[in-house]
Amino acid sequence: ARKFPENLIRSMGDGIIAFNRDGRVEIVNPQAENIFRVRQNELKGKNIQELSAFPLLRSLAEMLLKKSENVREEVLLHENMTVEVTTIPLGEKEQQSGTMIVIHDITREKQIEQLKTEFVSIAAHQLRTPLSALKWVMSLLLGGDMGNIPRRQKEIIEKAYQTNERMIFLVNDLLNVSRIEEGRVISKPAPLDIVEVIQLTLLDFQGKQKEK
């Protein structure tokens, strides 16, 4: 049987658990020992089912039992650690000498992703309040509640109102992105008036148009 490149496996930055052709643990590198808080001699010779007896290995073992080949999946080991697991068959299928499990710690990436989602959500909520206030004030002006206003001024306020509406739509889109990333929204497409979309888009270019 071919031997695992043990020195290479031990020097890798990711956690590695190597199984021999009989499906039993042969090598656990230091990074994997640190991730799962076990020693190689505790795991050596054990099969996947037997790994379930170790608390931090239970989620990994359950996933491997369901998907023993061509796995690339995120696994939550505990509330403070998420890893990406990749399985790599060693040798040709007919002469496979074992399987190598690569465990890449993506906890920091997931935390940054969560912080980004939270920031977008908070920023969008904070923006929506003043935009709604502006909309209310301009509605009062356009509705004549504050007295009559000249036609030219009314046109400018109407443009400002439309621009404010676009900002509100953008904020709502940002909130929807946050909800989608959290898995809380099912997309519900709805038809739009294409002429209205084009007119709102052209508003952004009126100033530059006049300059040219």
Side-chain angles (χ1 to χ4, degrees), residues 160-173:
Y161 182 89
Q162 291 173 339
T163 301
N164 192 69
E165 282 287 271
R166 292 193 64 201
M167 290 295 294
I168 291 173
F169 290 149
L170 176 60
V171 166
N172 288 334
D173 284 344

Side-chain angles (χ1 to χ4, degrees), residues 101-117:
I101 311 297
V102 182
I103 303 104
H104 178 57
D105 186 356
I106 59 169
T107 304
R108 179 171 172 77
E109 289 90 335
K110 297 296 287 186
Q111 289 173 340
I112 291 172
E113 185 178 309
Q114 179 63 30
L115 288 172
K116 181 201 72 174
T117 301

Side-chain angles (χ1 to χ4, degrees):
R2 293 172 57 188
K3 294 294 183 182
F4 290 107
E6 188 166 348
N7 290 337
L8 176 61
I9 288 175
R10 291 194 172 280
S11 65
M12 290 181 69
D14 289 329
I16 303 289
I17 299 177
F19 293 85
N20 60 26
R21 60 171 39 172
D22 297 322
R24 295 190 175 277
V25 176
E26 188 164 319
I27 299 172
V28 180
N29 75 347
Q31 289 75 14
E33 290 179 325
N34 291 333
I35 290 172
F36 297 108
R37 301 171 191 170
V38 294
R39 309 307 299 173
Q40 176 172 279
N41 57 12
E42 297 178 78
L43 302 183
K44 195 162 186 179
K46 289 182 168 54
N47 59 28
I48 293 174
Q49 290 91 334
E50 292 170 321
L51 296 184
S52 297
F54 297 85
L56 292 183
L57 281 160
R58 189 170 296 124
S59 298
L60 174 66
E62 289 174 355
M63 185 270 291
L64 292 175
L65 286 170
K66 292 178 184 176
K67 304 177 180 180
S68 58
E69 295 183 1
N70 302 319
V71 172
R72 188 181 184 87
E73 190 167 313
E74 292 181 10
V75 176
L76 179 65
L77 298 184
H78 53 80
E79 61 181 9
N80 294 319
M81 178 173 283
T82 303
V83 297
E84 183 181 69
V85 176
T86 306
T87 62
I88 303 173
L90 300 175
E92 299 297 329
K93 192 165 186 179
E94 296 78 9
Q95 300 178 332
Q96 190 169 322
S97 59
T99 303
M100 187 165 67
I101 311 297
V102 182
I103 303 104
H104 178 57
D105 186 356
I106 59 169
T107 304
R108 179 171 172 77
E109 289 90 335
K110 297 296 287 186
Q111 289 173 340
I112 291 172
E113 185 178 309
Q114 179 63 30
L115 288 172
K116 181 201 72 174
T117 301
E118 290 175 358
F119 171 79
V120 170
S121 179
I122 292 170
H125 276 105
Q126 293 296 319
L127 283 169
R128 190 161 61 174
T129 301
L131 289 172
S132 297
L134 283 171
K135 178 178 179 177
W136 176 71
V137 170
M138 287 187 285
S139 296
L140 290 177
L141 291 171
L142 293 172
D145 297 74
M146 308 300 292
N148 293 327
I149 53 176
R151 182 180 61 83
R152 178 58 182 156
Q153 292 181 10
K154 187 174 182 180
E155 289 176 356
I156 293 173
I157 295 172
E158 284 174 346
K159 290 177 182 178
Y161 182 89
Q162 291 173 339
T163 301
N164 192 69
E165 282 287 271
R166 292 193 64 201
M167 290 295 294
I168 291 173
F169 290 149
L170 176 60
V171 166
N172 288 334
D173 284 344
L174 289 173
L175 288 172
N176 284 334
V177 167
S178 299
R179 295 186 185 111
I180 290 168
E181 288 182 343
E182 293 171 3
R184 296 192 287 116
V185 168
I186 298 176
S187 178
K188 294 182 180 179
L192 293 174
D193 183 345
I194 188 64
V195 175
E196 183 180 347
V197 173
I198 293 171
Q199 288 174 338
L200 288 172
T201 303
L202 291 175
L203 281 174
D204 288 343
F205 299 96
Q206 283 189 349
K208 291 183 179 179
Q209 182 184 352
K210 289 179 180 178
E211 291 175 7
K212 299 293 183 181

